[in-house]
Amino acid sequence: LPPLSSDEDENVAKTYLMKFYDLTNETDSDLHRGVHQMTLKLKEMQQFFGLEVTGVLDSNTLEVMKKPRCGVPDLAE
Amino acid sequence: YTTFPGNLKWQSNSVTYRIVNYTPDLPQSEVDRAIENALQVWARVTPLRFTRLYTGVADIMISFGRRDHGDGYPFDGPDGILAHAFPPSVGLGGDAHFDEDETFTSQSSSGYNLFLVATHEFGHALGLSHSMDPGALMYPHYTYTDPERFSLPLDDIKGIQFLYGPNPEKPVDPTPPTTPNACDPNLTIDAVTTLRGEMMFFKNRFFWRVYPQSNQPELTLIKSFWPDIPDNIDAAYESIKADRVFIFKGEKVWALSGYDVVSGYPKTLSSMGLPATVKRITAALYDEVSGKTLFFDNKYYYSYDETKRQMDKGYPKLVEKSFVGMQGGVTAALQYRGFTYLFSGSNMHEFSSRSKKLHRVLRSNYFLGC
């Protein structure tokens, strides 16, 4: 599915991953090492929900993020 | 199922709870009943016993609040997050908070059913984390099911019994709801249809969505897409001409336009042109070659002319007369990329749509990425 590019969608995804997948703000060292937390966390989330694991924010992934749900993180802290 | 790190659980099987405040959405008696019933779901399958306190500090403190309600995990207004609960521990541990900005209900499928939300949250309060099983109560998404018919799924039973063991007084329900496995070699499919390029395979409470672009089928509860469509459907097909998907169960038929249920449905089978003597069909497909819709009733089938809106004469016919090599009754049917697929039990027969020649006999999970 085509990746989504809207800033609003990106923000929805970022907020969701921070709440439920322990996404933290990327540090300079993350970027230096080529580690993109957002991609890793998206993959974790896609795997959890049985979506195709791409690490890319597509319409299916966003659709799942917008469903009503429990506020407990999916990956226990 | 999963548990919290360290398998957090109550050390005693006697657990107390207190309803600290009430939602104005429901009479207090309804809230009391929903909470009590939700706790009993877990008590039925474990040695846990719950005692209500009216004052002081209970293990599970139950409250309704909105936005920032004092625990550092603010709610987000209507929809989105409905509730949260903390794993067993002292202080906040075990407490369950419900978002007062939601509309909680006790009877209908509108709003969010308090019993269902509470049962899920009490799973956390007892030590279960979220499950990856889309059929489990502990799956993170809310899906409406009729509370009167609610039965704790096997995944949740296994999870809570891992922590506390089984109920020594009552035997477990021998047939708790389970989640189908796409790679089960004996898998049988209830119904199958295309929908604007994707394929949908229905099984019990679930369906798999298969996209041409993706080799990973997605398993979803039927109710999470269409709360009014029943589980365990008989048949489904996509009418290219009408740009609709029709879903059949018993003598009723529902129509979808895209993912939306068309108003005015369910209608009767006879509204689709079938004789009044037909009380149930087992499969259906739209034949692009002839422009006809085929309705299967086990080993027989009818042909419906979508243009003339009437049944063709000379039907029902034996399926094996037209589809030579077909064995057994047809339990699901699909036409896809020039082939007609007739399912029977765990087998799927692949015929050329033009010549009706049998090409292969495959397993019913052929399209499910196994």
Side-chain angles (χ1 to χ4, degrees):
Chain A
L1 293 167
L4 295 168
S5 56
S6 119
D7 286 349
E8 193 184 330
D9 292 336
E10 286 280 335
N11 285 337
V12 167
K14 203 169 174 182
T15 307
Y16 183 95
L17 295 172
M18 287 173 108
K19 272 184 192 161
F20 302 115
Y21 287 84
D22 199 23
L23 173 70
T24 52
N25 288 321
E26 284 177 327
T27 62
D28 288 344
S29 66
D30 285 340
L31 296 171
H32 182 69
R33 286 184 289 129
V35 177
H36 292 283
Q37 270 210 56
M38 180 93 171
T39 306
L40 295 177
K41 294 298 178 182
L42 264 175
K43 283 184 174 176
E44 282 182 48
M45 181 259 176
Q46 288 167 332
Q47 187 167 21
F48 186 93
F49 286 103
L51 300 165
E52 186 164 29
V53 181
T54 60
V56 175
L57 181 63
D58 55 37
S59 57
N60 270 356
T61 306
L62 197 64
E63 189 184 305
V64 169
M65 287 178 172
K66 290 181 175 175
K67 289 189 172 179
R69 57 161 294 154
C70 168
V72 173
D74 298 331
L75 301 180
E77 290 175 39
Chain B
Y1 68 88
T2 60
T3 55
F4 292 99
N7 295 329
L8 294 172
K9 59 177 274 192
W10 298 107
Q11 294 310 307
S12 162
N13 287 336
S14 181
V15 177
T16 58
Y17 71 98
R18 180 181 157 200
I19 302 172
V20 178
N21 62 3
Y22 286 85
T23 171
D25 299 345
L26 292 165
Q28 292 192 2
S29 60
E30 293 281 308
V31 174
D32 289 346
R33 193 167 61 173
I35 298 296
E36 170 67 14
N37 288 346
L39 290 167
Q40 287 312 310
V41 166
W42 298 107
R44 270 196 288 278
V45 295
T46 62
L48 290 168
R49 297 296 171 260
F50 299 98
T51 305
R52 183 172 178 180
L53 302 184
Y54 292 86
T55 57
V57 179
D59 297 321
I60 300 174
M61 299 286 273
I62 298 158
S63 60
F64 293 82
R66 60 165 51 91
R67 301 287 179 178
D68 185 354
H69 53 282
D71 63 3
Y73 297 92
F75 285 133
D76 56 356
D79 302 316
I81 296 171
L82 311 180
H84 58 216
F86 297 85
S89 180
V90 292
L92 268 178
D95 294 358
H97 300 163
F98 298 85
D99 185 354
E100 188 49 83
D101 280 329
E102 313 304 343
T103 302
F104 289 106
T105 57
S106 61
Q107 302 291 334
S108 70
S109 61
S110 64
Y112 297 107
N113 185 278
L114 181 60
F115 162 78
L116 297 173
V117 178
T119 311
H120 174 104
E121 295 310 328
F122 294 154
H124 291 311
L126 297 174
L128 290 180
S129 189
H130 281 148
S131 172
M132 294 170 74
D133 179 343
L137 172 69
M138 295 312 294
Y139 194 64
H141 291 161
Y142 175 85
T143 303
Y144 177 77
T145 49
D146 182 353
E148 299 293 323
R149 296 183 186 179
F150 177 83
S151 183
L152 191 63
L154 184 61
D155 182 71
D156 305 293
I157 294 175
K158 284 180 178 172
I160 202 70
Q161 291 188 344
F162 166 76
L163 291 173
Y164 298 99
N167 185 344
E169 293 161 17
K170 283 184 189 169
V172 177
D173 173 2
T175 55
T178 55
T179 301
N181 174 5
C183 295
D184 175 357
N186 297 315
L187 179 73
T188 59
I189 300 290
D190 294 340
V192 56
T193 183
T194 50
L195 188 144
R196 295 180 179 174
E198 64 179 88
M199 288 190 281
M200 295 178 161
F201 296 81
F202 292 84
K203 177 68 180 174
N204 301 339
R205 299 182 293 147
F206 301 85
F207 68 100
W208 283 279
R209 299 170 72 187
V210 178
Y211 308 92
Q213 305 94 328
S214 164
N215 55 10
Q216 170 103 30
E218 289 174 25
L219 184 64
T220 307
L221 281 165
I222 295 172
K223 295 276 187 219
S224 75
F225 260 64
W226 308 290
D228 297 327
I229 300 278
D231 297 332
N232 303 302
I233 66 166
D234 294 333
Y237 81 96
E238 180 180 27
S239 167
I240 306 295
K241 194 174 175 63
D243 187 24
R244 284 189 176 173
V245 164
F246 293 97
I247 291 178
F248 300 82
K249 179 161 182 173
E251 291 186 71
K252 289 182 180 169
V253 56
W254 289 258
L256 304 177
S257 175
Y259 291 106
D260 301 321
V261 178
V262 178
S263 64
Y265 286 85
K267 292 182 177 176
T268 59
L269 268 186
S270 56
S271 73
M272 304 294 290
L274 284 156
T277 50
V278 177
K279 302 294 181 196
R280 174 179 181 259
I281 62 167
T282 57
L285 66 79
Y286 177 76
D287 180 11
E288 286 194 53
V289 176
S290 63
K292 306 289 176 77
T293 301
L294 309 185
F295 293 109
F296 296 87
D297 180 3
N298 284 313
K299 294 189 171 188
Y300 292 87
Y301 76 106
Y302 297 83
S303 172
Y304 179 73
D305 189 317
E306 293 233 354
T307 308
K308 293 181 187 166
R309 293 176 173 246
Q310 64 184 39
M311 278 293 162
D312 291 331
K313 292 204 167 84
Y315 289 86
K317 283 183 180 174
L318 263 174
V319 174
E320 64 185 53
K321 290 273 186 192
S322 304
F323 296 89
V324 176
M326 179 64 199
Q327 292 178 339
V330 179
T331 49
L334 172 75
Q335 200 167 76
Y336 183 68
R337 290 186 175 171
F339 292 98
T340 297
Y341 296 94
L342 301 184
F343 295 68
S344 185
S346 55
N347 288 331
M348 181 178 78
H349 297 68
E350 182 185 66
F351 294 89
S352 161
S353 295
R354 290 203 172 273
S355 68
K356 290 194 169 57
K357 184 182 170 191
L358 178 64
H359 276 225
R360 295 183 287 178
V361 179
L362 304 158
R363 304 305 284 179
S364 64
N365 57 5
Y366 176 75
F367 288 110
L368 295 177
C370 289

